[in-house]
């Protein structure tokens, strides 16, 4: 019999107000104009309401990026010059091992030379040994 | 995770070089069961592994013949646990999207990863394919009976998880709502849900927007105004949704949570530390390949731990360490938020004095060998203690981690571990799961208990399989609920689980059915055991205000003493399941034959239930941490199994010090002779295969020799390092490796026979076997040693890899064991003065010799070594040694002077090679870094005239006459004088008889040809 129900402490989110206090830069408006953002679908087409009131879920990639004056678009400045691809490809929060995939059964005791620090240090290590299913050093491929 | 790619798998073995080579993408092993057969070209690079290739002769059917003819989903269910598609529904509740959530990487032009060659999942054609990308095990299905189903994920219906910027950049993003959408496979919709722009979801790609938040413009296009809620710098609340709260990411991964009010830095926000320090002029990576450039939206990543491997090149890049704000070495170019400088506080606590020792044994301060977090973290709430892999949680995730019983009160929950010679704070999180001990080859009735293509290595069962059986049999994870006897886990519960897993062994039920294996006679024995893996995950947050808590704040006594709880004291491994009932039964218990140790380390010799990357201070050995109170080996009869076994609440010192101190023996040899391991079947300590382990040691016990499958010898690794004779250049070291392919080696002769011929005889060495022992003989031009990667114990070579390494400290006997060393640490003086702290050293130079007392000042002869010594700079009461540690360093004003033993207080010498005025300086530096100096002045001269008198022969010998001396006058001191104007040599011997024996002063004057006096010396002699 279950003695205690698992409870997700939502306090962390609810009470994030406590954390916001002096969280640097938090209350400042983003430098660009985000007051009139046209929602677009994955194809880049502006979204319109269907007759039943539904509408296509918006795409971050086309809504926020690419158009002139927007992120990664012509006329962008500062950090806004970076495109969706620039950011998505090079972020450990997005890649989570996708960009360092090793393949199935990756263990190799001879993959690394400790005396010259050459080769792949991960392959002879404890992570992949005896675990064929561990296919990368990150989340994708490990679980 | 389910296999993603067909190519790029495994390693081939080059018999000519005795080396394993990673199979690159674009290649496949000719025969995965025999790496010696090498590789062949694959049809493409990064070809998806198709679980649907079950036709006879197809990929699956070749390697897994028992899956011939099944459907793709059936094969997927039999082989896969989690998958890319599964991650998207499960773990991606906290993932921002992008990467494999959005793109497929398939059939690339080259073996090199290129992000520009990815195909959007949305448009990828999976027709006819059953892959890790488009199938998942439906563990969250509302119907528990369906939670083992292999389900197709159609991205045209679900959409994909693009990188959702708003998850970090939108104030009050709805993490819970997004999680719900992700769980349902409503991927496109999840973005609108998280942004709180919807009233409902129609399907994965379509939503019902909240048309108050979402307006319609004149063109009928939907528009939003996010200006009030967007933040270029993420607020802590956004990070907190995934990282901070109970049971979320950090709890799952490290047993950690951080709560409001628990960290002194909280008001500064996460980005105070995690904002990149080069923000003013950032170097932004965009290539998408692994390098050390943070991406635009990468928070700076904290220090690496030995248990984290993801994108390690980014660890600490532009990251603010504690010292970056609190003890900056230069003027910071980043915000430090008024961080108080801690240098003085640490110095006052004696933490900056070099009274400890680093991994090389040299004096070091506590600050140098202990990380800030080890002393400054304080928790007053709970954290994760266990991840129970024997069943699912309430929601359906196939491991239970989010219930109070698998947690612990973290007030006493900090431990320590070493990383590169430094101590870090850690949460000890223990996972447990079921494994199969049958390690035999398929031909010898081995069982691939998780269909990963390998029978050996103690296969972990697929947790989806365990979960499936639990659901079908009304069972749960073993820690799910308390049993009637008050225990959380007991012997009968575990036994019932094992019976469920085994079924009748024929494949009609149990794990074998899920694996697709039919075994009418139950020849392929499933030998299930629970294993426990404790990992000391680095703790980094919950920093207490220094005014309320810090180890060492109260002085040395805070840590140094019995059971203080810093480096010693019992650690609550059992957490909230600790305790015993009135009968002495543990609330967390099992029988000794229901569990097995996690692995053996240090040459396959030392039992451990913790991660192999838990290392010693030096880092060259694993610290084995056995936690099971008892586990049976294959030789133990079931009747001898002992109930009421549990995990030990280990002492903290066990994670940082091994029981007997050892280090790697780096000696090179021309010949290495090992020892003969115990004979097969003679003892559980024999490494060899034994066909009758139980009956061999338990006469009369029958029917249990199936346990022989757990004595498989498959996979023993032997790696030999080779170098040119006496060549100390490490870059010249080469290697030869072999791995035992024989699962039934019953003797060293069998092992020897199974090693490749090229490994036993080659240009580097030869190997022979006699009397059960191996002998490795290097070529005459080479030297050899055993690599620590080797499984040296079963090869009888353990004694050739490691040597005893006692810890040496002044004034105490060498300490060989953990108990001796901990007792020493417990008993060290806790008075800082006893270490010289607060005492200023004094520099002084003892009186030095004068080579010419006839001259004012101190003269030293050129070219002669002169001893220089000093008194103790910080003498103890008995004047026998320095208090604390003092470094002595001699130097001179003449850079060309030769100083021997320059760091010795008593044995240094100085030799000047030129004449003139010089100085000799002593610099003393104590453990606190305080420096004092002292100097003496000398005049270096040509060696003066020397006078020696031989009493026996009545001869005076004069030497070192000044250059140009042609005449001398000698006054004998008895009134007589000798003048010699020719035949003056150097040395010059002159006889003289004295009439009395009283002391006489001999004087010599030296003149050149012009009569000018060049030199003078006198000496008192006894005739």
């Amino acid at each position: 019999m279950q003695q205690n129900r698992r409870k997700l402490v939502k306090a962390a989110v609810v009470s994030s107000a406590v954390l916001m206090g002096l969280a640097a830069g938090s209350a400042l408006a983003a430098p660009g104009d985000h007051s009139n953002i046209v929602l677009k679908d994955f194809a880049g087409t502006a979204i319109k309401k269907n007759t039943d009131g539904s509408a296509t879920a918006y795409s971050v990639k086309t809504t926020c990026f690419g158009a002139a004056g927007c992120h990664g678009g012509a006329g962008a400045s500062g950090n806004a010059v970076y495109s969706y691809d620039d950011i998505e490809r090079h972020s450990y929060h997005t890649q989570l091992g996708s960009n360092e995939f090793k393949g199935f059964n990756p263990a190799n005791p001879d993959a690394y030379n400790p005396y010259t620090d050459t080769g792949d240090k991960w392959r002879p290590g404890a992570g992949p040994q005896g675990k064929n299913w561990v296919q990368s050093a990150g989340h994708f491929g490990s679980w | 995770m389910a296999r993603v790619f067909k190519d790029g798998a495994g390693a081939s073995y080059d018999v000519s070089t005795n080396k394993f080579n990673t199979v690159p993408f674009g290649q496949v092993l000719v025969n995965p069961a025999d790496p010696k057969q090498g590789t062949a070209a694959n049809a493409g690079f990064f070809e998806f592994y198709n679980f649907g290739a079950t036709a006879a002769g197809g990929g699956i059917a070749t390697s897994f013949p028992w899956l011939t003819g099944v459907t793709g989903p059936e094969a997927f269910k039999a082989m896969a646990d989690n998958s890319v598609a599964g991650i998207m529904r499960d773990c991606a509740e906290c993932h921002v999207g992008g990467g494999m959530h959005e793109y497929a990487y398939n059939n690339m032009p080259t073996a090199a990863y290129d992000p520009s060659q990815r195909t959007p999942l949305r448009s990828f054609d999976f027709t006819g394919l059953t892959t890790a990308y488009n199938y998942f095990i439906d563990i969250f299905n509302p119907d528990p009976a369906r939670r083992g189903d292999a389900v197709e994920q159609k991205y045209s219906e679900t959409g994909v998880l693009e990188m959702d910027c708003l998850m970090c950049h939108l104030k009050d993003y709805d993490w819970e709502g997004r999680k719900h959408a992700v769980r349902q496979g409503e991927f496109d919709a999840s973005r609108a849900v998280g942004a709180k722009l919807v009233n409902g979801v129609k399907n994965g790609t379509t939503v019902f927007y909240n048309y108050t938040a979402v307006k319609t413009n004149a063109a009928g296009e939907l528009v939003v105004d996010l200006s009030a809620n967007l933040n270029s710098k993420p607020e802590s609340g956004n990070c907190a949704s995934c990282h901070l709260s109970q049971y979320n990411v950090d709890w799952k991964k490290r047993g950690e949570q951080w709560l409001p009010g628990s960290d002194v830095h909280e008001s500064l926000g996460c980005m105070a530390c995690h904002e990149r320090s080069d923000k003013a002029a950032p170097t932004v990576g965009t290539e998408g390949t692994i390098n050390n450039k943070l991406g635009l939206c990468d928070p700076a990543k904290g220090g690496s731990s030995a248990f984290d491997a993801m994108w390690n090149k980014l660890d600490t890049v532009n990251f603010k360490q504690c010292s970056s704000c609190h003890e900056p070495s230069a003027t910071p170019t980043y915000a430090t938020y008024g961080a108080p400088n801690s240098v003085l506080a640490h110095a006052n606590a004696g933490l900056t004095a070099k009274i400890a020792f680093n991994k090389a044994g040299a004096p070091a301060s506590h600050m140098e060998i202990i990380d800030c977090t080890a002393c400054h973290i304080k928790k007053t709430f709970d954290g994760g203690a266990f991840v129970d892999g024997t069943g699912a949680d309430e929601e359906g995730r196939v491991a239970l981690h989010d219930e109070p019983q698998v947690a612990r009160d973290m007030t006493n929950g900090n431990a320590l571990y070493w990383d590169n010679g430094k101590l870090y704070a850690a949460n000890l999180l223990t996972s447990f799961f079921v494994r199969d001990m049958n390690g035999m080859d398929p031909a010898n009735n081995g069982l691939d208990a998780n269909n990963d293509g390998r029978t050996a290595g103690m296969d972990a069962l697929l947790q989806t399989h365990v979960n499936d059986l639990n659901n079908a049999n009304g069972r749960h994870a073993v820690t799910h609920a308390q049993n009637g006897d008050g225990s959380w886990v007991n012997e009968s519960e575990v036994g019932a689980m094992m019976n469920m897993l085994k079924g009748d062994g024929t494949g009609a039920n149990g794990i074998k059915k899920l694996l697709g294996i039919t075994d009418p006679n139950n020849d392929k024995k499933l030998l299930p055991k629970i294993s426990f893996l404790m990992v000391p995950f680095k703790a980094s947050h919950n920093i207490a205000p220094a005014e309320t808590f810090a180890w060492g704040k109260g002085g040395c006594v805070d840590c140094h003493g019995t059971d203080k709880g810093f480096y010693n004291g019992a650690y609550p491994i059992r957490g909230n399941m600790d305790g015993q009932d009135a009968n002495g039964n543990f609330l967390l218990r099992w029988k000794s034959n229901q569990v097995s140790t996690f692995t053996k380390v240090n040459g396959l010799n030392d039992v451990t239930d913790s991660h192999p990357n838990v290392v010693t201070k030096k880092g060259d050995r694993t610290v084995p941490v056995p936690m099971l109170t008892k586990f049976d080996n294959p030789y133990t009869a079931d009747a001898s199994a002992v109930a009421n076994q549990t995990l030990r609440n280990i002492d903290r010192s066990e994670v940082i010090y091994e029981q007997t101190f050892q280090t790697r023996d780096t000696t090179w040899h021309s010949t290495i002779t090992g020892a003969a391991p115990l004979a097969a079947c003679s003892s559980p300590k024999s490494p060899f295969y034994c066909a009758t382990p139980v009956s061999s040691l338990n006469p009369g016990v029958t029917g249990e020799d199936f346990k022989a499958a757990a004595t498989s010898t498959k996979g023993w690794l032997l790696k030999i390092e080779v170098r040119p004779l006496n060549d100390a250049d490490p870059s010249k070291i080469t290697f030869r490796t072999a791995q035992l392919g024989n699962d039934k080696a019953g003797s060293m002769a069998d092992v020897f026979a199974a090693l490749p011929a090229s490994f036993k005889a080659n240009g580097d060495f030869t190997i022979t076997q006699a009397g059960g022992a191996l002998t490795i003989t290097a070529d005459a031009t080479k030297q050899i040693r055993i690599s620590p990667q080797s499984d040296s114990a079963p090869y009888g070579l353990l004694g050739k890899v490691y040597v005893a390494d006692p810890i040496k400290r002044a004034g105490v006997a060498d300490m060989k064991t953990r108990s001796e060393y901990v007792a020493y640490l417990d008993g060290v003086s806790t008075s800082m003065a006893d270490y010289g702290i607060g005492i200023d050293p004094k520099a002084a130079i003892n009186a030095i010799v004068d080579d010419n007392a006839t001259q004012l000042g101190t003269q030293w002869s050129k070219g002669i070594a002169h001893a220089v010594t000093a008194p103790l700079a910080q003498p103890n009461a008995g004047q026998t040694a320095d208090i604390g540690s003092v470094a002595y360093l001699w130097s001179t004003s003449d850079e060309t002077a030769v100083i021997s033993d320059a760091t010795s207080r008593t044995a240094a010498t100085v030799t000047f090679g030129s004449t003139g005025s010089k100085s000799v300086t002593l610099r003393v530096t104590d453990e606190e870094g305080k420096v004092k100096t002292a100097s003496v002045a000398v005049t270096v001269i040509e060696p003066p005239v020397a006078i020696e008198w031989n009493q026996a022969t009545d001869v005076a010998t004069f030497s070192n006459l000044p250059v140009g001396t042609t005449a001398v006058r000698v006054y004998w001191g008895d009134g007589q004088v000798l003048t010699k104007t020719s035949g003056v040599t150097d040395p010059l011997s002159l006889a003289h008889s004295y009439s009395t024996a009283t002391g006489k002063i001999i004087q010599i004057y030296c003149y050149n040809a012009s009569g000018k006096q060049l030199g003078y010396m006198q000496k008192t002699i006894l005739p």
Side-chain angles (χ1 to χ4, degrees):
Chain A
M1 183 177 71
Q2 194 65 27
Q3 186 177 43
N4 290 299
R5 298 292 302 169
R6 175 184 67 86
K7 59 176 173 69
L8 189 65
V9 175
K10 300 183 185 179
V13 176
V14 172
S15 66
S16 59
V18 173
L19 299 167
M20 285 173 202
L22 297 174
S26 58
L28 299 174
D33 179 11
H34 294 85
S35 62
N36 190 30
I37 304 170
V38 175
L39 297 181
K40 297 177 184 174
D41 67 12
F42 68 87
T45 305
I47 298 170
K48 296 183 178 179
K49 197 190 315 184
N50 299 322
T51 53
D52 66 351
S54 68
T56 303
Y58 85 97
S59 159
V60 165
K61 191 171 185 178
T62 59
T63 299
C64 307
F65 292 86
C70 296
H71 291 274
S77 61
N79 286 342
V81 301
Y82 293 97
S83 68
Y84 178 90
D85 287 344
D86 287 338
I87 302 170
E88 180 274 331
R89 291 176 181 180
H90 202 104
S91 162
Y92 60 84
H93 275 96
T94 62
Q95 295 303 309
L96 298 173
S98 303
N99 62 343
E100 47 184 332
F101 224 76
K102 311 282 185 177
F104 200 72
N105 188 16
N108 178 357
D110 293 327
Y112 176 70
N113 185 334
Y115 302 111
T116 57
D117 194 21
T118 52
D120 186 341
K121 193 173 183 180
W122 180 83
R123 285 184 186 267
Q129 272 192 45
K131 298 188 283 291
N132 285 6
W133 64 89
V134 174
Q135 298 163 76
S136 91
H139 192 99
F140 279 116
S142 293
W143 301 102
Chain B
M1 192 166 102
R3 183 168 176 173
V4 179
F5 299 111
K6 176 189 170 191
D7 52 319
S12 62
Y13 184 69
D14 186 333
V15 177
S16 64
T17 60
N18 301 125
K19 193 168 178 293
F20 285 93
N21 296 307
T22 297
V23 176
F25 285 105
Q27 297 274 320
V28 293
L29 284 170
V30 170
N31 181 353
D34 183 10
K36 295 192 299 297
Q37 295 186 30
T39 61
N42 191 55
F45 299 92
F46 298 94
E47 178 186 344
F48 280 158
Y49 187 78
N50 183 14
F51 291 86
T54 60
I60 300 278
T62 301
S63 300
F64 305 93
W66 51 91
L67 296 178
T68 302
V70 305
T71 65
E74 287 172 339
F76 185 87
K77 180 183 167 75
M79 300 173 68
D81 195 0
N82 206 349
S83 63
V84 173
I87 283 178
M88 291 175 72
R89 296 206 177 213
D90 183 354
C91 323
E93 68 187 44
C94 275
H95 294 176
V96 297
M100 281 183 165
H101 308 89
E102 185 181 358
Y103 292 98
Y105 200 70
N106 176 253
N107 285 332
M108 294 295 108
T110 70
Y113 171 77
D114 179 357
S116 70
Q117 299 298 319
R118 297 176 297 173
T119 304
L121 279 176
R122 199 188 300 276
S123 55
F124 191 91
D125 184 3
F126 285 100
T127 303
L129 295 175
T130 308
T131 75
Y133 266 98
N134 65 327
Y135 270 84
F136 63 100
I137 303 297
D138 195 11
I139 62 173
F140 295 115
N141 194 303
D143 179 0
R146 305 292 306 278
R147 287 182 173 178
D149 289 359
V151 175
E152 185 180 6
Q153 185 147 285
K154 298 178 181 175
Y155 297 102
S156 59
E157 297 175 2
T158 62
V160 300
L161 287 174
E162 296 177 351
M163 177 184 69
D164 187 353
C165 307
L166 300 187
M167 203 167 172
C168 297
H169 289 283
L170 184 72
K171 180 178 169 183
D172 290 339
Y173 185 91
D174 186 359
W175 177 86
E176 279 279 1
R178 176 183 182 273
K179 172 188 170 182
H180 184 75
V182 162
R183 198 65 94 235
Q184 312 285 325
E186 296 162 351
F187 298 138
D188 274 355
S190 68
R191 293 183 288 279
V193 170
K196 295 183 177 175
L197 297 177
V198 305
N199 287 330
V201 174
K202 183 174 182 179
N203 55 47
T205 59
T206 310
V207 297
F208 293 97
Y209 284 104
N210 175 336
Y211 293 106
T212 302
V214 179
K215 310 288 188 191
T216 305
N217 65 14
E221 300 164 340
L222 299 183
V223 298
V224 293
D225 177 359
L226 298 180
S227 58
N229 292 321
L230 278 180
N231 296 304
S232 56
K233 182 189 295 186
E235 292 185 344
S236 299
N238 294 82
C239 311
S241 298
C242 291
H243 283 283
L244 197 143
S245 51
Q246 190 184 38
Y247 303 139
N248 246 336
V249 169
D250 282 63
W251 181 290
K252 288 194 194 62
K253 305 266 177 92
R254 314 196 226 178
E256 178 86 284
Q257 65 167 337
W258 349 319
L259 295 180
S262 71
D263 194 308
V264 68
H265 305 95
E266 180 185 325
S267 64
L268 304 178
C270 306
M271 294 304 283
C273 298
H274 288 280
E275 182 175 63
R276 56 199 302 159
S277 59
D278 69 341
K279 183 187 175 190
T283 300
V284 177
T286 59
E287 302 86 349
T289 51
I290 299 299
N291 57 33
N292 62 352
K293 295 187 227 174
L294 288 171
L296 178 73
C297 295
D298 276 336
K301 194 147 102 60
S304 62
S305 86
F307 316 104
D308 150 53
M310 187 185 75
W311 210 327
N312 277 156
K313 286 193 175 179
L314 288 180
D315 291 342
T316 72
V317 170
N318 291 310
F319 179 71
K320 294 178 197 172
Q321 305 284 358
C322 310
S323 57
S324 303
C325 294
H326 287 282
E327 297 186 6
S329 55
T331 303
T333 57
Y334 42 81
T336 60
Y337 304 99
N341 193 289
S342 50
V343 170
L344 189 60
H346 290 138
N348 289 341
L351 299 174
T352 56
K354 290 184 188 292
I355 58 174
F357 299 87
N358 64 19
K359 65 179 183 176
S365 68
H366 282 69
M367 294 291 291
E368 288 172 315
I369 65 168
I370 303 176
D371 185 63
C372 313
T373 53
C375 301
H376 287 281
I377 287 178
K378 179 69 175 175
K379 302 175 194 175
T380 56
F381 38 81
D382 61 348
F386 290 102
V387 178
D388 179 357
T390 64
D393 62 15
E394 282 290 317
E395 194 180 0
R397 187 174 289 110
V398 292
L400 195 160
H401 71 285
D402 56 356
E403 300 280 352
Q405 64 271 28
V406 290
R408 70 163 62 89
D409 179 359
M410 294 300 282
T411 304
N412 193 31
N414 272 1
L416 302 173
Y417 72 97
W418 291 109
D419 188 4
N420 195 20
K422 197 163 187 176
L423 284 172
Y424 291 85
N427 307 317
L428 304 189
L429 183 66
T430 303
S431 302
F432 58 92
F433 42 92
V434 183
R435 311 167 79 181
D436 169 40
M437 306 303 285
N438 182 343
M440 305 306 292
D441 281 348
N444 294 321
N445 289 321
L447 178 65
D448 183 356
N450 56 12
N451 276 337
D452 68 348
R454 181 206 305 267
T455 54
M458 296 193 283
D459 271 344
L461 304 188
L462 295 181
Q463 284 171 225
T464 46
H465 284 181
V466 176
N467 190 41
D468 216 11
L469 289 173
N470 281 341
N471 289 329
N473 289 277
R475 299 193 59 81
H476 299 273
V478 292
T479 62
H480 174 255
Q482 272 186 301
N483 301 303
D485 62 359
S487 66
W488 283 102
V489 180
N490 64 30
E491 299 89 340
S492 60
E493 180 180 18
V494 174
M497 177 185 71
M498 298 305 192
N499 289 336
M500 174 192 75
L501 297 173
K502 287 188 285 191
D504 64 8
T506 67
N509 43 46
I511 284 289
K512 285 183 186 174
K513 181 179 181 187
L514 294 174
L515 294 170
I517 292 173
T518 301
D519 188 11
N521 298 320
N522 191 19
D523 293 320
K524 303 179 192 303
K525 288 288 189 287
L526 176 71
L527 305 178
K529 306 274 188 185
I530 298 177
S531 267
F532 297 81
L533 169 60
M534 180 274 284
V535 181
F537 286 108
K538 188 179 175 193
S540 305
H541 303 87
N542 301 300
I543 305 294
E547 59 264 21
T548 60
F549 173 84
W551 286 99
K553 187 179 167 67
C556 311
V557 294
D558 276 3
C559 304
H560 286 277
T562 307
D563 289 336
K564 292 285 186 166
F566 184 67
Y567 58 79
N568 58 13
Y571 187 88
I573 289 286
R574 295 192 292 266
N576 293 342
M577 292 188 288
D578 201 356
Q580 293 169 272
D581 64 20
N583 298 316
N585 295 316
F586 290 104
L587 300 185
L588 177 70
R589 67 177 189 269
W590 39 77
K591 289 176 76 174
S592 57
N593 64 348
Q594 294 173 330
V595 295
S596 183
T597 187
F598 176 65
T599 191
K600 289 183 179 179
V601 292
N602 299 325
L604 212 61
N605 188 63
D606 299 326
V607 162
T608 188
D609 296 310
S610 71
H611 199 289
N613 284 357
V614 178
V615 295
T616 59
K617 187 175 182 178
K618 277 187 179 177
D620 62 353
R621 277 177 59 87
T622 296
V623 177
V625 188
M627 299 198 306
L628 290 169
T629 52
K630 182 175 173 56
F631 66 93
D632 291 346
N633 55 64
Y635 289 73
T636 307
D638 284 339
S640 302
V642 181
N644 198 26
Q645 300 305 304
T646 186
L647 296 174
R648 299 184 302 116
N649 282 338
I650 61 172
D651 191 273
R652 280 181 180 74
S653 62
E654 295 183 60
V655 186
I656 52 179
Y657 301 115
E658 56 177 330
Q659 187 168 20
T660 303
F661 299 133
Q662 300 174 66
T663 191
R664 187 194 171 188
D665 184 356
T666 56
T667 308
W668 290 93
H669 304 274
S670 56
T671 303
I672 296 174
T673 299
L678 292 171
C681 303
S682 66
S683 160
K685 294 185 179 178
S686 168
F688 299 117
Y689 172 78
C690 176
T692 57
V694 176
S695 55
S696 292
L697 295 191
N698 301 276
V701 177
T702 59
E704 294 187 29
D705 283 333
F706 59 85
K707 295 176 184 174
T711 67
S712 169
T713 55
K714 185 94 170 181
W716 297 352
L717 188 78
L718 180 56
K719 186 165 179 174
I720 299 174
E721 299 182 357
V722 185
R723 74 171 187 182
L725 189 64
N726 296 325
D727 192 334
D729 181 358
S731 70
K732 300 281 183 55
I733 297 173
T734 56
F735 313 89
R736 286 189 184 264
T737 306
Q739 195 158 34
L740 191 63
N742 183 352
D743 61 335
K744 281 181 142 180
S747 64
M748 193 61 82
D750 288 347
V751 171
F752 180 77
L755 294 174
S758 61
F759 186 71
K760 292 183 287 194
N762 52 66
D764 293 328
F765 53 78
T766 56
I767 304 179
T768 57
Q769 185 279 139
L774 295 178
T775 295
I776 311 167
T777 306
D779 178 83
T781 64
K782 308 272 174 72
Q783 287 172 305
I784 53 174
R785 65 186 181 189
I786 308 297
S787 163
Q789 282 181 262
S790 301
D791 295 324
S792 47
Y795 282 105
L797 297 168
L798 186 71
K800 306 302 178 185
V801 184
Y802 299 108
V803 291
D805 187 30
I807 294 178
K808 300 176 188 294
R809 295 287 180 262
V812 299
D814 291 353
M815 291 167 282
K816 307 182 192 63
T817 67
R818 176 177 62 237
S819 59
E820 289 174 345
Y821 188 58
V822 171
Y824 163 77
L825 290 176
D826 289 349
V828 294
S829 169
T830 54
S831 165
M832 284 197 273
D834 288 344
Y835 299 96
I837 297 172
I839 297 173
D840 293 344
K842 292 182 176 57
I845 300 176
N846 289 328
I848 56 176
V849 71
D850 185 353
D851 289 342
N852 187 352
T854 65
Q855 303 291 319
L856 283 175
T858 304
Q859 285 77 40
W860 276 6
S861 299
K862 183 183 80 175
I864 306 297
H866 293 81
V868 286
T869 65
L872 294 165
Q874 292 183 159
N876 59 11
Q879 299 283 331
T880 57
D882 279 316
I883 295 176
S885 65
V886 179
Y888 297 83
L889 182 63
W890 298 94
S891 64
T892 78
S893 57
D894 182 354
E895 290 179 353
T896 65
V898 174
I899 307 175
S900 67
D901 292 309
T903 58
S904 171
R905 181 177 69 85
T906 58
T909 65
V910 177
T911 306
F912 288 108
S914 62
T915 59
S917 298
K918 320 276 185 182
S919 65
V920 177
T921 299
L922 169 67
R923 175 188 173 99
V924 299
T925 307
D926 79 349
E927 65 292 320
E928 296 176 86
K930 293 176 183 173
V931 176
K932 295 289 183 192
T933 61
S935 294
V936 291
V938 298
T939 303
V940 182
I941 58 174
E942 295 293 340
V945 178
I947 302 173
E948 295 300 323
W949 171 255
N950 190 319
Q951 287 181 328
T953 60
D954 288 340
V955 170
T957 301
F958 304 90
S959 56
N960 291 339
L961 302 184
V963 174
T965 300
T966 59
V968 299
R969 175 170 292 135
V970 177
Y971 292 85
W972 293 105
D974 59 359
Q976 299 194 39
V977 180
L978 171 67
T979 301
K980 192 172 174 66
T981 57
S982 64
V984 172
T985 60
D986 185 1
L988 176 67
S989 296
L990 299 172
H992 183 72
S993 293
Y994 288 98
S995 59
T996 62
T998 55
K1000 306 291 187 289
I1001 298 175
I1002 297 178
Q1003 298 168 297
I1004 181 171
Y1005 292 82
C1006 302
Y1007 304 93
N1008 65 9
S1010 305
K1012 178 182 177 187
Q1013 181 178 324
L1014 298 178
Y1016 167 82
M1017 183 51 67
Q1018 69 180 54
K1019 185 175 183 178
T1020 302
I1021 61 99
L1022 281 177

